[in-house]
Amino acid sequence: MTFARLLSAFLLVALLAACGGGNSKFRSYKGPAVTSIQVHKGARKMYLLHDAKVLKQYDIGLGFAPEGHKQFEGDGRTPEGTYFISFHNPKSRYHLSLGISYPNLADSAFAASQGKRPGGDIMIHGRSNYKGTNKGDWTAGCIAVRDKEMEEIYAMVRQYTPIHILP
């Protein structure tokens, strides 16, 4: 009888390991807090920082018209300026995503003064489910990284973390 219980316990552990087995896109992170994010559009780099120390760096893709600050809906530009991470989206079309607080009041006011809308839904996200080449600048204004990198970023970055998007 003891052998049967031992075998049952082993099978239960194996089954649980197979169900949770490393394929989850949700990771944990126990390192230093990410206190800010810097995006250098010209270099196509994103840095996660703890104070002045770079914790991680990533190659990125941007909006399909990457030069200049996003001004209007549909312009294909990635915003420039200081924003913050507004939410985590576990059900993103692009694997996982982090919302960026664009547009701010100044962005909205400028677009309104021109009789246009500022756009929105600017995020840091993965690349899955994109039907194009997944190379270069292809988003509608978002910041794209590889799916595995997005899993890491998603675990490391908290809501309200400032993000500085530089030209």
Side-chain angles (χ1 to χ4, degrees), residues 2 7 24 35-36 42 49-50 55 69 76 120 126 135 148 162-163 167:
T2 306
L7 181 61
S24 175
T35 57
S36 67
L49 295 104
H50 175 79
L55 299 173
H69 173 59
K135 293 181 181 175
K148 289 294 181 189
I163 178 168

Side-chain angles (χ1 to χ4, degrees), residues 21 27 30 44 54 67 79-80 112 139 141 164:
R27 298 186 188 185
K30 297 183 190 317
R44 302 300 189 275
V54 174
E67 299 298 320
E80 295 173 358
T139 75
H164 309 285

Side-chain angles (χ1 to χ4, degrees), residues 4 6 20 23 26-27 36 40 47 52-53 63 76 85 89 91 96 103 123 130 134-135 154 156 159 161-163:
L6 185 60
N23 290 334
F26 302 104
R27 298 186 188 185
S36 67
H40 296 253
Y47 303 92
K53 181 183 177 195
I85 299 302
N89 180 5
K91 297 181 180 180
L96 295 168
M123 301 185 189
Y130 174 64
N134 275 332
K135 293 181 181 175
Y154 193 90
M156 293 177 73
Q159 189 173 4
T161 300
I163 178 168

Side-chain angles (χ1 to χ4, degrees), residues 22-98:
N23 290 334
S24 175
K25 62 184 178 180
F26 302 104
R27 298 186 188 185
S28 60
Y29 174 70
K30 297 183 190 317
V34 174
T35 57
S36 67
I37 302 167
Q38 283 189 11
V39 174
H40 296 253
K41 288 173 55 176
R44 302 300 189 275
K45 295 282 186 189
M46 180 171 69
Y47 303 92
L48 304 186
L49 295 104
H50 175 79
D51 298 329
K53 181 183 177 195
V54 174
L55 299 173
K56 292 284 184 173
Q57 78 174 39
Y58 304 93
D59 294 326
I60 59 172
L62 299 171
F64 61 83
E67 299 298 320
H69 173 59
K70 180 165 194 63
Q71 296 179 316
F72 309 117
E73 184 174 59
D75 66 8
R77 293 180 178 166
T78 301
E80 295 173 358
T82 298
Y83 299 92
F84 63 88
I85 299 302
S86 53
F87 62 91
H88 285 66
N89 180 5
K91 297 181 180 180
S92 173
R93 287 177 44 200
Y94 300 103
H95 194 57
L96 295 168
S97 62
L98 299 176

